[in-house]
Amino acid sequence: MAATGPVSGFSGADKPEYADYSRCVHCGLCLNHCPTYRLWGQEADSPRGRIRQMQLVDEGRLELGEGFVTHIDRCLDCRACETACPSGVEYGKLVEVARAQIEQHYQRSLASRVARDFVYRWLLPHPRRIAAAARVLRVYQRTGLAAFARGTGILKLLGLQDRERLLPKIDTDFFFGDLGRTFPARGPRRARVAFFAGCVAQVTFSELNRATIRVLQANGGEVVVPAGQTCCGALPAHAGVRDVARDLARANFEAFPAIDFDAIVTNAAGCGSTLKEYMHLFPAADPAHEQAAQFTIKIRDVSEFLADLGLTAPLREVPLRVTYQDSCHLAHGQKIREAPRKLIRAVPGVELIEMKLADQCCGSAGVYNVTETEASLELLALKMDSARGTKAQAIVTANPGCILQLRAGAAIHDTGQEVLHVVELLDRALQRA
Amino acid sequence: MNVSNAMVLSRLAELAGPSHVTNDPAEIATYQIDGKSPAAVVRPASSEEVAEIVKFAAAEKLAIVPTGARTKLGIGMPPRQFDLALDMTRMDRIVAYDPGDLTLSVEPGIPLHKIAGTLAEHRQFLPLAVPFMDRATAGGTIASGVDSPLRQIYGTARDFVLGMEFITGEGIAAKSGGRVVKNVAGYDMHKLMIGALGTLGVITKVNFRTFPLPRAARTCVATFRGPTAACEFRHGIARSALRPQSVEILAAGAGCDPLLGRRAAVSFEDDRWSVVVSFAGDEPVLDRTRRELQGLARGMNQNSLESFTELRANLAENVNRYIADLPAAILEYSPAAAIFKVSALPMDMAGLAADIHGIEVPWLVMMRGLGVTYLALLPPDRSEGSLRVLKQECARIFSLSERAPWGRSVLLWCPSELKREINVWGAPSGDFAQMQKLKSVFDPSGILSPGRFMGGL
Amino acid sequence: MPMDSRLLHDLKKLLGPRGVLHEPEDLMLYEYDGSVEVARPDCVVFPRATAEVVEIVRLASRHKVPLVGRGTGTGLSGGAIARHGGIITSFARMNRIVEIDAENQRATVQPGVVNSDLSVAVEHLGLHFAPDPSSQKACTIGGNVSENSGGPHTLAYGVTVNHVLSLEIVLPSGELMRLGSPALDPPGYDLTGLFVGSEGTFGLVTEITVKLTRNPEAVKTLLAVFDSVDDATETVAEITARGITPAACEMLDGWTIRAVEDYVHAGFPLDCAAILLIEVDGLREVAEAEAKDVADVCALHHAREVRVARDARERDLLWKGRKNAFGAAGRLAPSYYTQDGVIPRTKLPATLRGIGEISKKYGLQIGNVFHAGDGNLHPIILFDERNEQQFRDTIRAGDEIIEFCIQMGGSITGEHGVGMEKDRLMPLLFSEADLDLMRRVRDVFNPTGMLNPGKILPISKGCGEIYVRPRPALAPPSA
Ligand SMILES: Cc1cc2nc3c(=O)[nH]c(=O)nc-3n(C[C@H](O)[C@H](O)[C@H](O)COP(=O)(O)OP(=O)(O)OC[C@H]3O[C@@H](n4cnc5c(N)ncnc54)[C@H](O)[C@@H]3O)c2cc1C
Ligand code: SF4
Ligand code: SF4
């Protein structure tokens, strides 16, 4: 330590604050809930250890260097630790600002910087670029190039084989075309909602988005899809790229005049939890903070919204044995566990069997499956093991990212299980009605 | 010790008072262990006196055996050397009893029945339904480590002794644990004293947790043909929601006096295996338990159920007392009996029972529901021939003990003659080296009950 | 003190590079456990099998380096902290359930198995592992064995020692040994009983055989709300007097209730003086009758409200409120210090008043949570670790509470252990002769004292003078 006394490794705004990290009383109750601690069993990869590392950097006792970055990178941001923590530590908030500090002060390798800039700054904020990139990928997937690549073992050579499986399948018909439209309620209107369509979801989950709208309509929802909306900023925010996240948030405030709607509904738990926490992005003094407050009180996950509203649409029998995987950002981020289960049970003929550790992360975690593939696959293996144990025919979940991961899991581990979003299950019950 | 050594006697008289030391042959004979009498008996009245006596004995290399009501001196090996019997029965006070805290502190010489009387005034009790309970003292009961049918639900002394004070072999007063029901301060040395036969220290105070007396209790007896069904019945109870106070399987081979069985309200006719179950609670619980026990008994395969009866209230009480006391009753009936205690896993009980079934000398078996079995071999007399057969059978049982379903066996009571050739503890266990070291910490000069315990400790 | 490079090399060879941590940045994360103590190890190792533990112990002994076992590090007395440096052996990766024997109601586990993970694994068999420390979702069974942990259900079901049958241990000499037996009453001294609760100072535990307990057919959980603490304590006394032994009987004082409610939303009323959380279980008829009796007693002693949980969810919610009480306090101040005194339960009212006075004397907020059924108190003292004076006062206040408990005929720790936090208080409870004997008993297992040194037994002889340790403080953050 220098004679002048220790100097904090953090600086500027967006850093872990004493008031937040000191809430951690190092009781350790979160450890066994943390997927990465369960995998590797060491403090550095546990919530308590990560918080301590933040504290140590802040106290100038630990360098904001490779070790710190590695352990913070390895965090899934699944926030299971928040659920477990009795002291009310807001871990999600802490890790995001810790990542913001890394983003500002740590020089990553060139390749990593290029890739991160490409994704967080060049691609995600721009719908048109997403569409363009998606078209390229679609060509790859549809032309037989994919099959060729797989078949020849090129992917294996490039070490990409498992990662490739984790890539989303690109839709034929993007959702962008539906932006700006209004969908009337079926029957008497019970609510007027704005639909948050997501970014990558628009090229990979157009069908899920449409199903969501159908289910909302069928239950008396008038659904508006505001045109100016953009990515929620979850991925950049989780990665510590806060300036981009803030710009995206501001764009969304504009696109969703909150007073016009009973609710702003999303079918992506990951987006939902970011949208609900937009206030964390802006200091209290910033006028955007108040805007965020107005905006966030309207945000609802689709399961939450439908469970509160109550299902009125007649549902046909769907004979299916299912199990439910708690999406982290729904269960831990938004503390919603019952709503999706209630909706699933509402479908006649569906039998819900709980799996072990349903609320443990499947390893998807935003882009984790791409950046930390090995850990992601280990977690996925554990998850598929629990899912298989239930003998369910389908795994139901609440977030597109989880759906992708679980589909890959079902394929890799050959469980033969279908993977559905809660609203897709409801939609299935509707369509046959 | 040279008894005529007046110095020793006068020193003891100084320490405990002249009227509390004796070397009267008639009296010391009543303290004999396997035929060995002490040179003198001393009866201390306080822990300070005990400490002084032990210090003195350590200095003079006098071997001490602490005694209570002397009902269980037959357990274990005879002492290698036996100079002083330290009769603890003058230390018989209840030191403290807080019914509201469910705690009790007693001196070791207090008889269990006296404790029971005091506790009953507050509708509480100690779940120590042990052999000779009409005479046995608290200290002797703890030191001998005997268990009781009530362990099914209350556990053994290990589970409800909260702390102890004792005098080590150096005459040092020490304690561990405490007088509160929950306590993890320091090492639980008192756990070592339980069942150690006084080889590690002289217990001078025991703190117990007490229990509320159940409001009402009943007892049912189900009798089966063959051990398998009886054990199955036991398993059925274990798998059910029922929480009986005790589950005891009783049977006897040919030649065993049917009277022994009749007093337990069971039949010892050929191949009858009876399960005596007692349970407590309010009427609805009692009714339901009885009903479900009967259902379980009837559900056993091959129509092996012979009878199912509920005992009348006063008979039930007698029967439960008798069962708790059974080893004592056996010894009274057949002083040359050899009684083994075999611990096995519950699922191995049926196999064990089947093996026992094949024993050729008259036998009686009592299996506790949790897997502890008392097996008594009953020679017709104490003749040399009978003892020879008995010895062979005992040796055979020890050799069986090496493998499942037998688990570990201890020959709890047997004629002294056998102890010359058989070590009643069986072979020392793998952690024996640690026990030896502990013995030398607590009793460095080896004067406390020398040789009475496992492996000559 | 840097690690001997030879030793480090050997450890790495044994465990692989991933099995050994020795960089300061990693070691800083093993300075702490759940307590307020701090000390840094020189190295942390992660064995996966008993044979590796034996080798680790041999290496440590050859190099004369202290050795400390660690489960999850939720301990509240600094047990898993390397007070004098050396090697921490983390059992986090020895977390396999070796065998479940449902018929005999036994399970054999590695020490790193998390307490509630065992109960979850046997749930479908209608069984559970009875010791239920509030930290059960995180703490390991190895830790439970070392601390002889209890929990809310200790009152009826006992503490860890009542459920442990056999242990496989590695002595500091490197000798592997089995204590006890899966069958009951193995002959010989009860070494298992002695070992449980020895706080990692006798040997490292590598395998544990425990009893499994059948789940009760019915459970009733009652919440009784009182406007006076005395009413609540009298209720507890009368429940005992009526011969009812509840499965659990927990009390929270008004201040704690408010702290907890804010987090858990269990529906605890915010304006009351105390609540009792009482659970009865057993056969349906027993649970129902006892629940009724308990409710009557509560009403008789002026309970403002008695609520019976209607289903498992409500029950879980009430328990969540209780089990998260400590942590919830953490929301209200930068740090808290949980005490763990025991008193005869009839002395509850007097003790509470005593604690109230101590709180006033130091101007410190103290919340009270306790296992009222067995007189185990957990006063929670809030403080700000950046305030040196306050930290010192906190430790003093804690010590005074403990002294008070001893005056009442109680003990210095009911379940959190002595560790490095209360070794200096041991002379208040035990004489020099007692402690000396304990020291010699420890030496039987751990003659060099290199296993978890500086725990349980005070180093200095004599008086029980209270001193305040230097603050284990961290440097204050600079802007
Ligand atoms: C919020 C909270 C609530 C708590 N509630 C309770 C409660 O209700 N009841 C209770 O009793 N305790 C409670 N505790 C204390 C703590 O959880 C227990 O003491 C627990 O048993 C510790 O387990 P652990 O795995 O964290 O052990 P650690 O803290 O890692 O270690 C504890 C001790 O065990 C030793 N040890 C661990 N593993 C081994 C091994 N394999 N071999 C040898 N020694 C070993 C360590 O050296 C140390 O001395 C609570 C703690 C917290 C933070
Ligand atoms: S967010 Fe998830 S991975 Fe990250 S520390 Fe918390 S529990 Fe662990
Ligand atoms: S549970 Fe909360 S307070 Fe406890 S260690 Fe984890 S983050 Fe810290």
Side-chain angles (χ1 to χ4, degrees):
Chain A
M1 271 179 225
T4 50
V7 176
S8 172
F10 298 144
S11 61
D14 293 341
K15 67 182 179 63
E17 299 289 349
Y18 178 82
D20 291 322
Y21 66 66
S22 69
R23 273 201 167 184
C24 172
V25 292
H26 47 87
C27 64
L29 291 201
C30 50
L31 265 61
N32 197 40
H33 293 258
C34 172
T36 58
Y37 180 79
R38 289 176 75 103
L39 276 186
W40 302 310
Q42 55 177 15
E43 282 286 323
D45 292 311
S46 79
R48 172 169 71 175
R50 290 186 176 115
I51 294 169
R52 184 63 143 219
Q53 290 170 81
M54 294 177 203
Q55 177 184 359
L56 290 169
V57 172
D58 197 22
E59 288 170 355
R61 297 209 297 154
L62 177 66
E63 193 196 342
L64 197 162
E66 195 191 330
F68 180 70
V69 172
T70 305
H71 299 302
I72 298 292
D73 272 357
R74 281 191 196 158
C75 167
L76 296 148
D77 201 0
C78 70
R79 297 168 67 174
C81 46
E82 283 191 26
T83 299
C85 177
S87 291
V89 171
E90 293 180 286
Y91 178 83
K93 187 171 150 186
L94 281 167
V95 75
E96 280 179 21
V97 284
R99 284 176 175 168
Q101 290 293 315
I102 293 174
E103 191 64 18
Q104 289 167 39
H105 302 304
Y106 182 73
Q107 185 82 327
R108 288 182 187 272
S109 73
L110 184 66
S112 161
R113 265 179 316 178
V114 168
R116 289 168 65 90
D117 278 349
F118 171 74
V119 176
Y120 298 124
R121 293 184 189 279
W122 188 84
L123 181 67
L124 291 178
H126 304 286
R128 246 180 256 135
R129 291 183 191 162
I130 294 176
R135 272 181 219 112
V136 175
L137 211 67
R138 184 164 65 194
V139 170
Y140 166 82
Q141 289 176 340
R142 297 296 144 82
T143 54
L145 211 63
F148 172 78
R150 263 179 236 135
T152 55
I154 288 178
L155 289 168
K156 205 172 194 173
L157 265 179
L158 295 172
L160 275 175
Q161 189 183 37
D162 281 327
R163 286 192 201 201
E164 196 261 355
R165 296 231 208 185
L166 298 173
L167 285 179
K169 192 163 164 296
I170 304 299
D171 292 333
T172 333
D173 182 11
F174 298 159
F175 189 78
F176 292 116
D178 291 326
L179 293 183
R181 287 182 60 187
T182 297
F183 300 82
R186 273 214 261 154
R189 188 177 93 174
R190 299 167 65 215
R192 181 176 148 81
V193 304
F195 179 64
F196 185 86
C199 51
V200 182
Q202 300 202 39
V203 298
T204 54
F205 281 97
S206 326
E207 254 323 297
L208 169 61
N209 280 353
R210 294 192 183 103
T212 307
I213 292 172
R214 279 195 296 275
V215 171
L216 287 166
Q217 282 180 290
N219 287 289
E222 180 186 45
V223 187
V224 180
V225 189
Q229 61 175 292
T230 178
C231 166
C232 66
L235 295 179
H238 294 168
V241 188
R242 312 247 308 168
D243 54 328
V244 171
R246 281 191 192 105
D247 291 344
L248 292 171
R250 287 204 187 86
N252 280 326
F253 297 157
E254 294 304 317
F256 292 85
I259 30 168
D260 290 0
F261 306 105
D262 295 320
I264 302 167
V265 174
T266 169
N267 58 21
C271 302
S273 86
T274 298
L275 294 168
K276 284 182 177 179
E277 288 170 356
Y278 266 175
M279 281 154 77
H280 288 176
L281 285 173
F282 303 99
D286 192 326
H289 189 81
E290 183 49 33
Q291 259 179 308
Q294 294 301 321
F295 179 77
T296 51
I297 49 171
K298 288 288 164 74
I299 304 295
R300 292 287 178 281
D301 183 79
V302 63
S303 295
E304 179 188 18
F305 179 77
L306 285 170
D308 283 351
L309 186 68
L311 295 178
T312 48
L315 297 175
R316 274 264 302 262
E317 184 156 331
V318 181
L320 199 64
R321 201 163 51 237
V322 309
T323 185
Y324 176 71
Q325 152 68 14
D326 282 288
S327 291
C328 297
H329 284 158
L330 199 60
H332 306 304
Q334 303 179 53
K335 318 279 177 231
I336 297 172
R337 288 160 183 267
E338 261 316 297
R341 291 181 165 83
K342 192 169 149 192
L343 297 176
I344 293 168
R345 288 201 199 92
V347 179
V350 166
E351 184 192 355
L352 174 63
I353 302 158
E354 292 288 348
M355 69 170 104
K356 267 196 308 192
L357 301 174
D359 67 352
Q360 172 158 303
C361 185
C362 62
S364 161
V367 292
Y368 196 85
N369 51 7
V370 187
T371 56
E372 303 284 340
T373 314
E374 201 181 318
S376 169
L377 288 172
E378 273 184 67
L379 291 171
L380 183 58
L382 293 171
K383 180 57 65 184
M384 296 323 290
D385 204 44
S386 313
R388 195 203 308 266
T390 63
K391 301 201 169 62
Q393 298 157 294
I395 308 170
V396 180
T397 187
N399 187 45
C402 310
I403 295 177
L404 287 179
Q405 175 86 348
L406 294 169
R407 279 191 187 141
I412 296 170
H413 298 277
D414 203 15
T415 70
Q417 285 164 317
E418 187 183 10
V419 182
L420 292 170
H421 192 285
V422 180
V423 291
E424 287 178 311
L425 181 65
L426 291 172
D427 185 49
R428 203 176 276 187
L430 281 184
Q431 281 171 345
R432 298 182 187 178
Chain B
M1 165 174 105
N2 181 357
V3 201
S4 62
N5 192 332
M7 188 280 273
V8 169
L9 283 175
S10 71
R11 178 74 186 127
L12 289 175
E14 263 172 57
L15 293 173
S19 53
H20 303 300
V21 181
T22 178
N23 62 348
D24 172 69
E27 212 164 324
I28 57 175
T30 64
Y31 286 82
Q32 54 171 259
I33 301 175
D34 291 315
K36 234 181 197 166
S37 294
V41 177
V42 53
R43 300 191 188 88
S46 69
S47 118
E48 290 74 23
E49 286 183 14
V50 175
E52 288 308 315
I53 294 167
V54 175
K55 258 184 219 152
F56 170 67
E60 300 295 321
K61 295 265 178 295
L62 304 177
I64 294 179
V65 177
T67 64
R70 286 166 270 153
T71 60
K72 300 184 186 72
L73 292 180
I75 297 180
M77 297 298 282
R80 255 194 308 272
Q81 182 188 333
F82 191 8
D83 300 311
L84 295 179
L86 196 62
D87 182 324
M88 303 298 288
T89 52
R90 278 178 73 215
M91 291 180 65
D92 64 348
R93 287 178 313 133
I94 289 183
V95 183
Y97 173 37
D98 297 304
D101 292 324
L102 298 171
T103 57
L104 170 79
S105 284
V106 297
E107 289 184 330
I110 187 171
L112 292 178
H113 67 83
K114 211 167 125 191
I115 295 178
T118 307
L119 266 53
E121 289 167 25
H122 296 271
R123 300 207 45 76
Q124 294 183 355
F125 79 121
L126 277 185
L128 283 172
V130 300
F132 304 101
M133 62 189 143
D134 52 343
R135 280 180 287 154
T137 62
T141 301
I142 298 305
S144 63
V146 288
D147 71 345
S148 107
L150 295 173
R151 73 180 297 166
Q152 174 79 23
I153 192 152
Y154 299 100
T156 56
R158 180 186 198 255
D159 301 302
F160 50 81
V161 168
L162 304 173
M164 273 186 209
E165 292 180 11
F166 50 87
I167 307 294
T168 69
E170 292 176 287
I172 296 168
K175 65 171 175 300
S176 71
R179 245 191 63 206
V180 277
V181 290
K182 207 165 168 194
N183 183 14
V184 295
Y187 300 127
D188 282 350
M189 299 184 293
H190 56 279
K191 291 251 166 30
L192 294 174
M193 303 288 154
I194 301 174
L197 287 186
T199 53
L200 295 178
V202 182
I203 300 170
T204 51
K205 193 163 109 188
V206 189
N207 303 332
F208 288 103
R209 172 181 177 179
T210 62
F211 296 82
L213 266 173
R215 290 181 228 196
R218 291 196 211 163
T219 300
C220 289
V221 183
T223 302
F224 300 91
R225 268 189 303 277
T228 315
C231 290
E232 277 302 318
F233 179 55
R234 175 264 162 220
H235 302 334
I237 298 172
R239 284 185 209 109
S240 77
L242 303 177
R243 290 184 179 181
Q245 300 254 313
S246 66
V247 177
E248 300 283 311
I249 303 176
L250 287 127
C256 178
D257 190 339
L259 187 70
L260 279 172
R262 219 170 299 141
R263 289 183 50 201
V266 303
S267 151
F268 278 164
E269 281 159 45
D270 50 8
D271 207 15
R272 293 294 188 279
W273 289 70
S274 301
V275 189
V276 183
V277 186
S278 63
F279 42 98
D282 292 333
E283 282 309 307
V285 179
L286 297 175
D287 285 343
R288 172 173 162 201
T289 305
R290 190 212 128 101
R291 205 169 51 243
E292 292 189 7
L293 284 174
Q294 189 160 12
L296 278 171
R298 290 219 176 107
M300 294 296 111
N301 50 357
Q302 306 148 359
N303 297 327
S304 48
L305 180 66
E306 191 75 16
S307 65
F308 182 93
T309 42
E310 183 182 334
L311 305 181
R312 279 176 295 106
N314 52 350
L315 177 61
E317 206 185 316
N318 287 341
V319 163
N320 281 313
R321 264 187 95 81
Y322 176 73
I323 288 180
D325 206 31
L326 193 60
I330 292 170
L331 291 173
E332 224 159 83
Y333 164 80
S334 163
I339 307 180
F340 278 95
K341 180 180 179 188
V342 185
S343 24
L345 288 171
M347 285 301 132
D348 291 336
M349 285 167 69
L352 183 61
D355 276 1
I356 291 172
H357 213 196
I359 293 177
E360 308 258 324
V361 293
W363 53 266
L364 188 159
V365 72
M366 175 170 76
M367 306 176 110
R368 304 219 195 287
L370 294 180
V372 171
T373 293
Y374 288 88
L375 167 63
L377 302 182
L378 308 167
D381 50 45
R382 228 188 162 103
S383 70
E384 216 167 285
S386 298
L387 288 178
R388 198 170 47 242
V389 176
L390 188 65
K391 202 186 79 195
Q392 276 162 11
E393 282 300 313
C394 289
R396 199 167 67 86
I397 287 169
F398 271 120
S399 71
L400 286 172
S401 301
E402 317 263 283
R403 55 185 171 78
W406 279 80
R408 292 290 312 244
S409 304
V410 173
L411 184 48
L412 219 47
W413 275 285
C414 71
S416 307
E417 293 89 327
L418 258 60
K419 296 190 185 177
R420 281 182 219 126
E421 286 154 89
I422 291 183
N423 190 314
V424 299
W425 297 102
S429 49
D431 47 5
F432 182 67
Q434 300 308 113
M435 297 185 193
Q436 277 177 308
K437 288 184 203 159
L438 284 167
K439 167 79 179 174
S440 61
V441 164
F442 284 87
D443 178 22
S445 43
I447 57 157
L448 296 178
S449 305
R452 298 258 292 138
F453 203 58
M454 189 164 95
L457 291 179
Chain C
M1 174 181 65
M3 210 60 193
D4 181 307
S5 64
R6 215 20 281 135
L7 173 56
L8 209 53
H9 171 263
D10 289 349
L11 287 170
K12 281 191 183 157
K13 211 169 100 195
L14 175 69
L15 302 165
R18 281 178 167 220
V20 184
L21 297 177
H22 58 89
E23 296 295 341
E25 59 189 61
D26 287 314
L27 300 177
M28 280 194 270
L29 304 179
Y30 287 85
E31 280 176 351
Y32 52 80
D33 63 0
S35 71
V36 296
E37 310 289 340
V38 179
R40 192 180 300 179
D42 299 306
C43 163
V44 183
V45 295
F46 298 86
R48 290 184 179 276
T50 298
E52 290 177 354
V53 179
V54 171
E55 278 310 311
I56 292 165
V57 174
R58 288 208 179 123
L59 284 171
S61 140
R62 197 174 315 142
H63 290 262
K64 304 201 171 31
V65 175
L67 193 60
V68 182
R70 183 176 172 105
T72 309
T74 66
L76 291 172
S77 54
I81 295 176
R83 189 174 199 171
H84 300 305
I87 304 174
I88 285 187
T89 304
S90 165
F91 287 92
R93 294 179 194 164
M94 276 179 75
N95 59 355
R96 203 162 45 84
I97 296 176
V98 179
E99 192 196 355
I100 293 171
D101 178 357
E103 291 292 4
N104 286 313
Q105 295 184 215
R106 307 281 195 270
T108 299
V109 299
Q110 288 189 319
V113 170
V114 167
N115 174 306
S116 64
D117 284 356
L118 176 57
S119 286
V120 167
V122 296
E123 197 181 354
H124 66 285
L125 302 165
L127 301 169
H128 69 284
F129 178 52
D132 65 334
S134 304
S135 52
Q136 72 186 127
K137 286 194 173 159
C139 63
T140 63
I141 297 178
N144 299 160
V145 165
S146 303
E147 300 289 346
N148 195 10
S149 294
H153 289 84
T154 290
L155 184 54
Y157 292 94
V159 288
T160 302
V161 71
N162 307 114
H163 301 273
V164 172
L165 291 160
S166 174
L167 298 168
E168 182 189 72
I169 60 167
V170 182
L171 292 176
S173 60
E175 196 182 340
L176 186 68
M177 182 170 289
R178 185 163 284 284
L179 308 181
S181 134
L184 300 173
D185 298 0
Y189 300 139
D190 182 8
L191 298 188
T192 313
L194 177 69
F195 191 98
V196 175
S198 60
E199 302 191 22
T201 63
F202 281 2
L204 293 179
V205 182
T206 49
E207 201 175 277
I208 305 154
T209 301
V210 299
K211 294 182 199 166
L212 298 172
T213 304
R214 189 152 303 282
N215 296 345
E217 177 182 67
V219 180
K220 291 259 173 208
T221 309
L222 293 91
L223 173 74
V225 182
F226 296 88
D227 288 324
S228 107
V229 174
D230 286 358
D231 280 341
T233 51
E234 273 161 32
T235 303
V236 177
E238 175 145 359
I239 290 172
T240 314
R242 292 204 181 184
I244 299 173
T245 306
C249 179
E250 303 284 302
M251 184 161 152
L252 277 69
D253 73 356
W255 180 85
T256 314
I257 292 161
R258 289 180 278 283
V260 170
E261 182 57 20
D262 182 44
Y263 161 59
V264 179
H265 309 298
F268 297 163
L270 296 177
D271 59 340
C272 60
I275 58 169
L276 286 177
L277 193 62
I278 304 170
E279 193 158 283
V280 290
D281 70 7
L283 289 183
R284 217 177 311 110
E285 292 82 352
V286 175
E288 269 161 24
E290 291 193 342
K292 200 182 154 297
D293 275 1
V294 167
D296 288 350
V297 175
C298 293
L300 207 67
H301 291 278
H302 322 293
R304 184 211 293 180
E305 184 194 343
V306 180
R307 207 185 300 161
V308 183
R310 270 163 305 187
D311 52 32
R313 265 191 57 203
E314 269 190 36
R315 172 178 178 235
D316 288 348
L317 193 60
L318 292 179
W319 274 116
K320 199 170 160 202
R322 163 61 188 90
K323 295 211 168 181
N324 285 315
F326 297 154
R331 303 158 74 89
L332 302 177
S335 290
Y336 72 79
Y337 176 44
T338 311
Q339 256 305 354
D340 174 40
V342 193
I343 49 160
R345 112 186 87 190
T346 44
K347 305 279 170 28
L348 255 175
T351 309
L352 279 178
R353 277 189 289 278
I355 294 175
E357 264 151 41
I358 293 167
S359 158
K360 241 182 264 144
K361 175 169 160 195
Y362 289 102
L364 289 167
Q365 180 63 55
I366 305 183
N368 283 294
V369 178
F370 28 72
H371 308 300
D374 43 31
N376 188 189
L377 313 175
H378 293 312
I380 306 169
I381 313 176
L382 299 191
F383 69 99
D384 184 337
E385 68 196 356
R386 292 168 301 181
N387 181 336
E388 194 114 2
Q389 182 58 38
Q390 210 177 62
F391 179 78
R392 264 199 290 270
D393 285 349
T394 299
I395 299 294
R396 275 210 189 95
D399 287 352
E400 280 184 33
I401 292 173
I402 289 304
E403 283 180 89
F404 198 94
C405 292
I406 294 172
Q407 277 167 28
M408 295 283 118
S411 170
I412 61 174
T413 169
E415 55 186 21
H416 296 167
V418 176
M420 61 194 271
E421 184 196 288
K422 287 183 174 161
D423 53 341
R424 73 211 149 77
L425 298 178
M426 286 287 277
L428 297 180
L429 205 56
F430 294 106
S431 71
E432 190 43 48
D434 302 335
L435 293 173
D436 184 56
L437 191 58
M438 287 185 192
R439 210 167 278 131
R440 283 152 64 197
V441 167
R442 184 199 56 197
D443 290 350
V444 163
F445 294 89
N446 180 14
T448 59
M450 289 309 249
L451 190 64
N452 213 356
K455 307 294 168 71
I456 302 189
L457 297 169
I459 307 157
S460 64
K461 299 211 168 194
C463 62
E465 186 213 335
I466 307 291
Y467 73 93
V468 171
R469 289 152 302 171
R471 175 169 162 266
L474 308 158
S478 55

